[in-house]
Every structure is written in C-alpha cells, then in structure tokens.
Amino acid sequence: MKPAMETAAEENAEQSQEKKGCFECCIKCLGGVPYASLVATILCFSGVALFCGCGHVALTGTVSILEQHFSTTASDHALLSEVIQLMQYVIYGIASFFFLYGIILLAEGFYTTSAVKELHGEFKTTACGRCISGMFVFLTYVLGVAWLGVFGFSAVPVFMFYNIWSTCEVIKSFQANVTVPGDQICVDIRQYGIIPWNAVPGKACGPILENICNTNEFYMSYHLFIVACAGAGATVIALLIYMMATTYNYAVLKFKSREDCCTKF
C-alpha cells in the first residue's frame, strides 16, 4: 500500500499534467485562428450590409424625389426607373455573393493558417492546395479593384445630394439678406445626366428647392447614400486585408513546398 501523501502527490501531478495539456491544446488552437481573415470577414460583412441595405432604400427614395419634383412625366424617367430597378437586383446578388465568399475566405484562412503553422499536418502544402490559395489571391485582387470602382460610383449620388443640400443652405442664408433674391438660385438635375434635357420641370429654384430639402425623403436618401458609400469603403478595406492575408499565406506555402522539395534530396 502506498502512503496517502504519495497517492495525493501523484493525483496532483496527473491533474497538473492534464491542465498543462489542455492549456497547450488551447494555445495551439488559438494559434491556428486567422485573425486577419476574421477581422476582414467581419468588416466585409458589415460593409456589404451597409452598402446593400442603405443603397437599396436610398435608390427608392431617389426615384420618388425625381418623380415628384423634377420629372413629372413618366416617360421621361422610365429608363432611369428600369436602371434603378436593375441596380436593386444587382444589390441582392452582391449581398448573397459576398456572404458566401466571406465564409469561404474565412474557412480558407483557417486551413491555410493551420498548414503554415503545421497544426494539423501538411494537408495544405500540396500542389492542389497551393493552386486553390493562388486562385483566392487572384480573385480577391480582382474583387478589390472592382470594389474601388463601386466605392467611386457610390460617391456620385453623395456628391449630387450634397450640392442640392448646400444650395438650400445658400438660399436660407440669402433669405436673411433682403437685398439678394433667393428665387434666382436653382438646381438643375438634368445636368447630371440622370434624366433627359426635355424633362419637365427638370430644375427647382428658391423656396421650392428649399421645401424639397426639408422633406423626409431627401433627408433619408442623402444620409443613406453617405452610409452606403462608407459601407463600400469598409468593404474595400476588408478586401485589402484579405489581399495581404491570402498573399502572405500563399507565399509561405510556396516557400514551404520548395523547402520540403529540397529536403527530400
């Protein structure tokens, strides 16, 4: 029979060994988390959600403003309505695609990071694995360039609404000065090319323009376009982080494959 003290010491040693093994396992698992890809995925989901959600509602409000104040004839803005409706369907497709693509990139980040750190064997250092990583690098670069264009395009309605809003502020300031008439200050939407030059009335001046700026539709659409533009910018940043993470992982895998090849000889 072993003494009670020796038995207790052995039990404590076994418990400490189990705790140490559990701690090492947790550290090993945390080491395989692709933190860059995780941050990029969260940022990408947030940016795409803001861009798609706010952009969809803002486009609807823009059509309503144009129909009520700048283009009273339906035939004048029929093409614009069809284009905006098509853009809304495109927004649905963008949201669905990037939801799936973000999950795929995050999963690819987990697998590649595990392979780079050799946590679960070298299942990713094969030629097929490197080919898949290279494909994600190329696709992410292409999507990053495309989203730069989307970001620039989303800034156009912000610029247009800002010009209208600033003109309304000028009218308000001129109303305080009785020597300067505010009726001569106008905004012509036709100059932006979104409605034809024969659209009636096509422009708004003075108090009419000020009333447009005070409507809830204008206020909501203006701020929603700003949020949508910010969401597009956040998506661009997320794709840049993806680019850096996927390029780094691919370069390390390429280096490890050459190192393993040279080691065999």
Side-chain angles (χ1 to χ4, degrees), residues 6-42:
E6 292 182 2
T7 304
E10 291 178 356
E11 292 178 355
N12 292 333
E14 291 177 358
Q15 292 178 358
S16 62
Q17 188 68 24
E18 291 178 358
K19 292 180 179 179
K20 183 179 179 180
C22 182
F23 178 76
E24 291 178 352
C25 181
C26 291
I27 294 298
K28 187 176 181 180
C29 292
L30 290 176
V33 176
Y35 294 101
S37 297
L38 183 61
V39 172
T41 301
I42 296 174

Side-chain angles (χ1 to χ4, degrees), residues 112-185:
T112 308
T113 303
S114 299
V116 168
K117 297 188 177 182
E118 297 181 353
L119 298 176
H120 304 290
E122 298 183 3
F123 57 88
K124 196 68 175 181
T125 57
T126 61
C128 181
R130 293 192 300 273
C131 180
I132 293 175
S133 297
M135 180 193 67
F136 278 115
V137 172
F138 174 76
L139 185 58
T140 305
Y141 270 87
V142 172
L143 291 174
V145 174
W147 267 96
L148 283 175
V150 173
F151 176 69
F153 179 77
S154 64
V156 173
V158 176
F159 172 75
M160 184 184 70
F161 273 83
Y162 173 77
N163 283 343
I164 298 174
W165 173 81
S166 60
T167 305
C168 291
E169 293 299 315
V170 172
I171 294 174
K172 292 178 182 179
S173 64
F174 280 175
Q175 287 178 349
N177 187 0
V178 294
T179 61
V180 181
D183 295 340
Q184 298 179 1
I185 303 175

Side-chain angles (χ1 to χ4, degrees), residues 2 12 16 20 57 68 91 97-98 106-107 122 143 146 177 210 240 246 249 259:
K2 293 184 179 179
N12 292 333
S16 62
K20 183 179 179 180
V57 179
Q68 294 178 10
I91 285 175
F97 172 79
F98 273 90
L106 183 61
E122 298 183 3
L143 291 174
N177 187 0
E210 186 179 358
L240 288 176
T246 54
N249 288 336
E259 186 180 50

